[in-house]
Structures are given as structure tokens and as C-alpha cells.
Amino acid sequence: MVIRRPQHTLSRSNVSGNALKVLYRLKRCGHQAFIVGGGVRDLLVGLSPKDFDVVTDARPEQVRALFRNCRLIGRRFRLAHVRFGREVIEVVTFRSSRSGAEDDREHTDSGRILRDNVYGTIDEDIWRRDFTVNALYYNIADFSIWDYARGMDDIASRTLRLIGDPVTRYREDPVRMLRAARLSAKLGFGIANGTARPIRELAELLHEVPEARLYDETLKLFHAGHAAASFERLRQFGLFRYLFPHTDRALRADENGVVLRFVQTGLDNTDQRVKADKPVTPMFLYAVLLWFPILEVAERIRAEDGGSEIEAFLDACDEVVGEQREYTAFPRRFSSPMKEMLLMQRRFHNRRGARARRLLQHRQFRAAYDFLVLRAECGDADPELARWWTEIQTLSPEEQHKAFAVKRRRRSRRRRRASRRSPAGGPDRGQAG
Ligand code: ATP
Ligand code: MG
């Protein structure tokens, strides 16, 4: 079905100028050119798209010949990236997934697609899209929308519905289950019954998906401004444990609810930062998710091997991070600073002397401090301690010097005097803290 320009609300003025340049050049050179996927979907529901994906009947080599600023990438399938400063427009050639093309695709035994590089036409391309609302094509030739899968109806009723047989589609690519959770969180859409129903049972297929891809998908779930909602959906569909098994276990054993509160508050904070355009880092995200599991493992290690608290903590970090990597490939450039930052949580307890003062200069201080505040908010750290580290940052260097060193002498002198006045166990005890 083709929806003519007057019958839909998508306006060119909301499409990125660079995407339009690409579309117009393709058209001028005699090719078909459409925007498809999240760009069209988001504009139709009134969100501003994060990027615009262009599809065309031109082959990747032909696309490259048309744009100076173009690179071909991809192994699983070849596609073109046209770069304009910081913006990259992805240009993909229509691909086929049905009708005679089957022989050219590689599957695993469970049906997962390994490679699909068979070029096709637009009416074949639609079958490889996941949800109907992601299969709406905006045609630059006449500004119409091509809708083969009744995606417009699902936009109207705010529903995610897989194209084709859901079980087959999830088997082909289990990440589609994560995408269902993610997009329903992002868009606030419901999930059609048939699309939601098989997820629980098929969730374990996520084991087959490469860790690097699950890591990418994790960042899309948790760093796009809808982390808290994504978390809720993932748990609702039994998907979360295939991304964060340690965290999932900690949540199940969470008797007083502190783990859940902590994760939810941490994800809420992340969402607020994304909405305020502040930077977010996987280091902090993983710290939020792995903190309680690490504490738990540290306790176990100490019970088993004895040894110092710090050693047990460091070993626990390595163990949990190591196992986490088998699920989502969490890069070392984030896991190393995460470990430092978590270790600093213990060092915050010491507020006296040069070592404590040096914490302020530590390159992980800011993150570690934010983490401490989060813990205090959730009843996992003393709020007074968090307040102290908040206040110290507002002081001048001289005042800071005093706060870290001089106070100690005065305190202990006062305490000495006090203890001289009242015997041990008297009413003054316990006020210092
Ligand atoms: P967003 O950009 O908001 O994350 P999106 O739907 O645009 O969402 P992309 O990963 O940018 O997600 O994918 C672009 C389009 O490619 C999708 O809209 C969909 O049509 C198709 N697509 C992406 N991933 C898959 C998949 N795993 N299976 C089938 N189609 C997919
Ligand atoms: Mg997109």
C-alpha cells in the first residue's frame, strides 16, 4: 500500500539535511532511494530520530562511486557509510530474504542467519525487517510512504508486531527479542500477543549470539534515555538473565530490596543524564549492575580463603567481570577504571590525612563520588559520608587541607579532653561519628 504525501504527517523538514542530500543524489542518478526503519517510525510518532537509514536499489559499489565521502563496510553484509563531518548516513542496498534466495544464505542448525548478502528489490527487502513499524519506506521521489506490512496501522495503535512467523524470526536472529524489549521501552508501544508470547521460551537462544553484539545491544538498551523502562521489560520477558546473569541472581536473592532499588535508581540517573545531554559511560553502567554481585562474591571468597578484604574484593571484581564478558563483551578500557572506582568506595571511609586528600585528584574521583551518592540514596552507604565528600569539594584548597589534616588534631584533642572529663562508656561516647 502506498500512502500519498497528503495522507501522512511525515515532513521533509524534520529529516536531516545530509540524509536528504544522499537521497536526492541517488534519485538524480536514476536510483530508487528511501528512508526506512527508525527514522520514519520515530518521525511518525513524534520523536526525533537518532539517525536516518537510507535504502536504495544501487549496489554498494555504485553508491561509493557517487559520493566522495563514502566508505564501504561490513562483513555480514556490505553497506555504505557516507560521512558529513560527525554525521554518518548509512546507505544499504535492498536485500532479499525469500524466493529462491534461500540457497545463498547461511544458517546455523537453530536457524540463525549468519550471512545474507543477496540483493533484491524493495518488496523483498521488507521481509528481512523485524517489526511492521520498522518496515515503512519514505520515498524521496514523491514523498509517499510505502507500507507493505500494515505498519501504519501498528503506528496508530502503538503496537510492535513482527513481520512473518515470530518463532522463525526470533530463531533467525535472537537479538530481535532484545529489540522488542528495547523498542517497546523506547516508544512506549505494546507488543502484539503473538510477538510477545514466544519470547520467554526462546530467550535462551541469546546464548548463541556473539558477546560483542550483545554488548552493543546493551548500550542501546541502557544508554539511550530509556534504561529504566528497558530493564523492566527485559525482566518481564525473562531476557535480563541472558545479559547479566550475576545481577539477575543478586536480584533474586535480594531480601530487603536494596539491589533492585540501587539498579533502578542508577538507571533513572543514567536516563536523566542522557536527557540532559550529559555524558554517560559503560564504566558507570556496569558498576551499577555489578556492584552487589561483586560484594557478594567478595564475601564468599573471604569466607573460603580468608585473606584481606581488599584482596577478596579485587579477586571478586576479576571473577565477576570475567564471567560477565562471556555474556556481553565489556571492554577492558572500561572494566579497569570501574574496578578502581569501586575500590575507592572503601577508601572514602577514611577522611583524614594526605591519602584521603589525594582521592580528590584521582581520575576516577568524580565517578566514584557520584557512585557514593547513589549508594547513599539507596541505603547502601552512610548519607553523612556522602554529604561530607560533597561539601569538601566546595572548599578552597586551603580549607580542604585543613579539613583533611587539622581537624583530626583538634578532634582527637577534644576527644582526649572529653575522655578525661568523663570516663570511658560515659554519655560522650559515639558522638564523634
Ligand atoms: P533505533 O535507531 O531507534 O535504535 P532502529 O529500528 O532504527 O531503532 P537500527 O538498529 O538502526 O534500529 O536498525 C534500522 C532498521 O533495520 C530497523 O528499523 C529494521 O528495519 C532493520 N533491522 C535492524 N536490526 C534488525 C534485526 N535484528 N532484524 C531485522 N531487521 C532489523
Ligand atoms: Mg536507527
Side-chain angles (χ1 to χ4, degrees):
M1 190 196 340
V2 175
I3 297 126
R4 301 272 153 221
R5 187 189 191 178
Q7 266 95 54
H8 67 73
T9 58
L10 199 153
S11 153
R12 247 172 318 153
S13 59
N14 296 320
V15 176
S16 113
N18 292 326
L20 289 174
K21 266 186 227 163
V22 172
L23 290 162
Y24 282 130
R25 163 100 40 111
L26 285 166
K27 182 189 147 210
R28 245 183 292 131
C29 296
H31 297 292
Q32 289 184 308
F34 297 79
I35 308 174
V36 70
V40 178
R41 176 199 70 213
D42 288 358
L43 285 180
L44 289 173
V45 297
L47 297 174
S48 50
K50 142 167 101 40
D51 45 36
F52 291 93
D53 298 319
V54 171
V55 278
T56 176
D57 58 356
R59 298 294 165 94
E61 298 71 29
Q62 294 177 301
V63 176
R64 181 169 55 187
L66 290 181
F67 300 95
R68 232 183 323 123
N69 42 344
C70 176
R71 233 161 41 96
L72 298 190
I73 63 150
R75 257 184 305 151
R76 187 161 174 252
F77 37 69
R78 305 271 284 158
L79 47 89
H81 273 180
V82 187
R83 180 175 289 281
F84 299 87
R86 291 182 57 190
E87 188 178 12
V88 174
I89 307 295
E90 200 166 278
V91 184
V92 179
T93 305
F94 295 136
R95 274 190 295 263
S96 164
S97 63
R98 287 194 159 181
S99 58
E102 287 298 322
D103 296 349
D104 303 324
R105 300 163 97 208
E106 278 180 46
H107 289 82
T108 63
D109 292 344
S110 64
R112 185 157 66 90
I113 297 176
L114 292 177
R115 217 185 310 281
D116 69 50
N117 231 346
V118 186
Y119 299 123
T121 57
I122 183 168
D123 51 327
E124 292 168 321
D125 189 87
I126 113 124
W127 296 104
R128 45 170 298 278
R129 308 267 154 202
D130 47 9
F131 304 102
T132 61
V133 296
N134 285 346
L136 294 165
Y137 296 74
Y138 177 73
N139 186 0
I140 200 63
D142 62 0
F143 314 120
S144 62
I145 292 177
W146 293 20
D147 175 11
Y148 292 85
R150 301 191 137 260
M152 285 303 241
D153 291 347
D154 286 332
I155 291 269
S157 65
R158 305 178 72 80
T159 307
L160 285 177
R161 187 189 314 277
L162 272 173
I163 298 171
D165 170 52
V167 173
T168 311
R169 303 306 311 280
Y170 289 138
R171 284 190 182 281
E172 283 175 354
D173 182 2
V175 168
R176 287 170 186 154
M177 296 186 273
L178 297 176
R179 288 176 56 83
R182 171 165 77 83
L183 292 174
S184 84
K186 165 178 166 159
L187 303 166
F189 275 26
I191 304 182
N193 284 337
T195 297
R197 207 178 304 116
I199 295 182
R200 260 182 186 284
E201 204 169 310
L202 298 178
E204 64 177 6
L205 290 176
L206 286 170
H207 274 315
E208 292 180 18
V209 179
E211 305 88 81
R213 188 155 177 232
L214 290 185
Y215 176 72
D216 292 345
E217 208 53 41
T218 297
L219 297 191
K220 290 187 189 174
L221 281 155
F222 294 110
H223 272 174
H226 47 78
S230 291
F231 173 65
E232 198 189 300
R233 295 285 200 290
L234 288 174
R235 293 196 76 210
Q236 183 187 335
F237 287 110
L239 294 165
F240 185 68
R241 54 190 284 212
Y242 296 101
L243 293 177
F244 292 95
H246 275 291
T247 318
D248 188 70
R249 241 172 284 140
L251 284 164
R252 283 170 203 280
D254 186 18
E255 276 164 18
N256 50 14
V258 65
V259 181
L260 182 63
R261 193 159 60 239
F262 184 72
V263 170
Q264 280 173 335
T265 313
L267 297 178
D268 278 336
N269 286 0
T270 305
D271 286 343
Q272 281 158 25
R273 287 184 68 91
V274 171
K275 279 169 193 147
D277 257 330
K278 290 187 191 163
V280 288
T281 157
M283 187 278 276
F284 200 86
L285 173 69
Y286 274 71
V288 165
L289 292 166
L290 300 182
W291 170 243
F292 279 98
I294 289 172
L295 289 180
E296 219 173 273
V297 171
E299 226 171 85
R300 192 204 72 214
I301 291 179
R302 225 160 102 79
E304 284 170 8
D305 313 351
S308 80
E309 235 176 272
I310 292 201
E311 269 167 3
F313 185 80
L314 292 175
D315 288 349
C317 270
D318 291 342
E319 183 180 317
V320 171
V321 167
E323 286 172 17
Q324 180 60 47
R325 280 212 182 92
E326 292 170 19
Y327 291 79
T328 66
F330 180 40
R332 252 164 245 287
R333 69 175 188 284
F334 297 121
S335 64
S336 305
M338 181 191 86
K339 196 164 147 181
E340 280 180 54
M341 179 189 106
L342 294 183
L343 199 58
M344 280 173 77
Q345 301 306 309
R346 308 184 73 264
R347 296 177 59 193
F348 278 134
H349 289 281
N350 179 11
R351 310 180 209 178
R352 308 285 172 238
R355 269 193 85 174
R357 179 158 42 88
R358 275 200 303 273
L359 281 185
L360 288 176
Q361 261 70 55
H362 195 288
R363 64 205 153 103
Q364 265 5 300
F365 174 78
R366 191 66 222 180
Y369 160 75
D370 286 343
F371 199 78
L372 175 69
V373 171
L374 175 64
R375 290 177 51 217
E377 246 178 84
C378 301
D380 179 51
D382 182 1
E384 195 275 328
L385 184 67
R387 264 197 303 278
W388 192 89
W389 284 100
T390 303
E391 216 177 285
I392 199 80
Q393 296 172 67
T394 65
L395 305 181
S396 69
E398 292 77 27
E399 289 170 320
Q400 285 179 352
H401 230 86
K402 274 186 219 155
F404 280 109
V406 177
K407 243 188 193 163
R408 172 210 227 165
R409 251 180 279 134
R410 238 202 282 140
R411 272 255 173 111
S412 54
R413 217 184 290 144
R414 205 198 301 144
R415 210 182 290 156
R416 242 181 283 130
R417 245 186 280 131
S419 58
R420 241 180 277 137
R421 257 184 273 130
S422 68
D428 280 10
R429 253 191 139 207
Q431 278 182 12

